[in-house]
């Protein structure tokens, strides 16, 4: 049965970095993908495009990933620590009510980027919505890995990204992910940066080889409900 996937991420490009190839292959199979980007309407980063350009980049990226129209928030880029936790939780809850996802994918809580951390915490709280009020039950919650962020976290908390779930994406999935990333002008870097062609493809190769596939994106399970 076709499922509805919702990613909840901090910045435009996170959804492509963490879920871009999976999004493409799942959409090709008839599943629906919605990307909620909490600072999607904010342009505060240096060397980044203005807001209109950013929205164009975001929309173009969704097309390469086979995703629906993006859901964009106004949370302040690089300042998610200044946002009341409840405000962010309630925003994500509204998105959940609107989209009615079966599966939610968000940031890993042990991520070097502070916005990613706050996004993950708020999304974990919001993911419990179906246990607090009548709405569609969630089937799974997963954490993604963001090259140059999740992999740059220092091993001090003892809970770094530890993948246990792999989505086979194929070479075409990796190609579409790269196209989505290039739609976001200024995101990609030269090798050996993790956001380079070589590294993105190498990570997909590595994740695939860990489970006997050619190319995968990897995730860590937070919750997976199996209904017989
Ligand atoms: Zn980010």
């Amino acid at each position: 049965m076709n499922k509805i996937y919702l990613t909840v991420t901090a910045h435009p490009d996170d959804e492509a970095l963490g879920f871009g190839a999976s999004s493409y292959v799942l959409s090709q199979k008839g599943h629906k993908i919605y990307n909620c980007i909490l600072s999607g309407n904010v342009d505060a980063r240096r060397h980044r495009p203005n807001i209109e350009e950013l929205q164009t980049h975001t929309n173009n990226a969704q097309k390469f990933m086979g995703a629906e129209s993006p859901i964009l928030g106004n949370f302040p880029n690089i300042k998610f620590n200044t946002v009341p936790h409840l405000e962010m939780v309630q925003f994500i809850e509204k998105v959940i009510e609107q989209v009615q996802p079966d599966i939610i994918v968000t940031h890993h809580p042990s991520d070097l980027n502070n916005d990613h951390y706050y996004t993950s915490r708020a999304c974990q709280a919001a993911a419990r919505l179906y246990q607090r009020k009548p709405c569609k039950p969630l089937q799974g919650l997963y954490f993604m890995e963001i090259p140059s962020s999740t992999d740059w976290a220092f091993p001090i908390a003892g809970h770094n990204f530890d993948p246990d779930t792999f989505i086979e994406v194929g070479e075409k999935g990796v190609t579409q992910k790269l196209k989505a990333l290039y739609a976001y002008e200024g995101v990609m870097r030269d090798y050996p940066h993790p956001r380079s062609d070589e590294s993105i493809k190498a990570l997909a190769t590595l994740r695939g080889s860990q489970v006997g596939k050619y190319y995968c994106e990897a995730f860590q399970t937070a919750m997976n409900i199996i209904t017989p």
Side-chain angles (χ1 to χ4, degrees):
M1 204 174 89
N2 287 339
K3 291 185 178 172
I4 298 172
Y5 288 77
L6 169 67
T7 75
V8 180
T9 56
H11 314 111
D13 75 9
D14 287 333
E15 85 288 5
L17 285 163
F19 197 70
S22 301
S23 173
Y24 173 75
V25 294
L26 289 167
S27 73
Q28 293 301 107
K29 294 282 183 187
H31 301 285
K32 269 199 160 23
I33 320 293
Y34 291 92
N35 294 313
C36 168
I37 304 167
L38 294 178
S39 71
N41 270 331
V42 179
D43 60 333
R45 280 198 261 191
R46 282 192 307 152
H47 314 303
R48 280 300 174 100
N50 66 35
I51 191 69
E52 289 80 20
E53 287 171 333
L54 182 62
Q55 283 171 351
T56 303
H57 296 172
T58 307
N59 288 329
N60 290 340
Q62 307 309 303
K63 287 176 195 144
F64 288 122
M65 296 184 287
E68 306 298 314
S69 289
I71 302 160
L72 307 178
N74 287 311
F75 293 99
N77 189 24
I78 324 180
K79 291 181 188 165
F80 280 19
N81 60 314
T82 64
V83 177
H85 175 69
L86 185 61
E87 195 180 312
M88 193 171 280
V89 173
Q90 288 175 336
F91 180 86
I92 299 168
E93 284 178 346
K94 280 209 183 76
V95 174
I96 290 172
E97 288 186 284
Q98 176 193 335
V99 167
Q100 300 193 48
D102 300 291
I103 306 286
I104 297 178
V105 186
T106 189
H107 291 291
H108 191 280
S110 293
D111 189 297
L112 184 69
N113 187 295
N114 218 30
D115 287 355
H116 295 182
Y117 165 78
Y118 283 100
T119 300
S120 185
R121 293 303 303 265
C123 189
Q124 288 172 50
R128 295 288 186 192
L129 183 67
Y130 76 99
Q131 288 166 281
R132 286 186 267 111
K133 67 183 283 190
C135 64
K136 185 178 176 186
L138 194 64
Q139 293 177 19
L141 174 66
Y142 298 89
F143 300 136
M144 61 171 67
E145 63 175 335
I146 302 290
S148 75
S149 193
T150 317
D151 52 336
W152 282 359
F154 294 103
I156 46 173
H159 299 290
N160 284 35
F161 182 75
D162 194 5
D164 60 13
T165 298
F166 300 78
I167 298 179
E168 186 177 9
V169 297
E171 193 164 11
K172 176 73 173 167
V174 179
T175 301
Q176 293 301 114
K177 174 179 185 148
L178 287 169
K179 283 182 183 172
L181 287 169
Y182 277 104
Y184 286 114
E185 290 168 22
V187 165
M188 294 298 280
R189 298 280 185 275
D190 290 334
Y191 183 75
H193 194 284
R195 294 198 312 267
S196 60
D197 284 38
E198 293 89 337
S199 297
I200 294 288
K201 196 163 182 183
L203 182 61
T205 305
L206 171 69
R207 293 312 187 193
S209 74
Q210 288 173 329
V211 290
K213 306 288 182 188
Y214 285 102
Y215 301 99
C216 283
E217 279 177 333
F219 304 89
Q220 185 174 337
T221 307
M223 183 182 80
N224 176 29
I225 300 174
I226 296 172
T227 306

